[in-house]
Amino acid sequence: MSVWFAALMGLVQGFTEFLPISSSGHLVLIQSFLGRDIEHDYMLFDVLLHFGTLVSVFICFWPDIRDMILEFFRLLGECIRGKFDLKKTPARHLMIMVIIATLPMIVVPLVNDYIEKLFSSPLLVGCMLFVTALILYIADLAGNGKKTVESATWKDALFVGVLQLVALVPGITRSGTTIMAGSVRGFKREFAVKFAFLMSIPVILGANVFTIKGAVTQGFDTALLLPYIVGVLCAALAGIAAIAMVRYIARRKNYRGFSIYCCCAGALAIVLSLIL
């Protein structure tokens, strides 16, 4: 693996993980047309790229993450004493919502083998990118709600979490789907974006659980140390840029550009999959 290829994969992972254009879909297309399978040939590198994007979430949302961690231990202490309040502070309520939204992901091990088979079809990815374009269009129609962390409910969190399952299909955006789901439930745009990205923390960690054993077994080639470092840095920096871009666009209340891009990318993927 060259440094340039590692940098390219890092940038692709970082940007597509958080931009509402489907990271899994772009990964399938790149691997299919370049003839390289990063997830299987370089499993440790794949894990590290996800770590890089995770770092970007921590950097961009550290105050919220710090407060949720502190509230977790405070709540734990209150539970031991036998008296607790799940909505005592906004940070505690946000932590509970993230946990609730993650619960539907427990079905992933049951469907993981089936989902993995979908990653071999660039044609499917092309079709699903059109679905992503529709999801973003719905997010625009939903408008800007009024709910914030103080007024959102556990039902809202569960709804967003259930719709997140749709994004298991390659080509359907996770961030776009969860932002759309929050918007449909009446979240303010800024809160919908924040909640979608905070939800990505357990999702990214969970995704690595399925690959970490194989990555360790595969071993580490010290000759790839520099490409790995470059890839992780590129993924983290691209992730920070992507998060900032989505937050900016959310304030402008328009995902039309991403929707158009997904239509173009989907059409190109379908055409290339049919002629190659």
Side-chain angles (χ1 to χ4, degrees), residues 61 64 94 189-199 247:
F61 294 99
D64 295 287
L94 181 58
R189 288 247 177 157
E190 293 84 352
F191 177 58
V193 170
K194 177 191 290 188
F195 189 60
F197 287 139
L198 291 176
M199 283 175 59
R247 296 175 84 173

Side-chain angles (χ1 to χ4, degrees), residues 81-127:
R81 293 192 296 270
K83 185 178 180 180
F84 60 90
D85 180 2
L86 295 180
K87 295 184 67 173
K88 187 174 183 179
T89 66
R92 180 175 298 186
H93 185 46
L94 181 58
M95 176 195 69
I96 298 298
M97 287 187 63
V98 170
I99 292 173
I100 293 173
T102 305
L103 290 178
M105 298 300 288
I106 62 176
V107 306
V108 172
L110 302 177
V111 299
N112 189 57
D113 291 341
Y114 175 75
I115 294 297
E116 283 189 350
K117 295 178 181 178
L118 301 180
F119 278 75
S120 62
S121 176
L123 179 60
L124 173 68
V125 170
C127 295

Side-chain angles (χ1 to χ4, degrees), residues 16 28 47 67 108 130 132 222 274:
T16 61
V28 170
V47 170
D67 291 345
V108 172
F130 280 99
T132 285
T222 55
L274 294 175

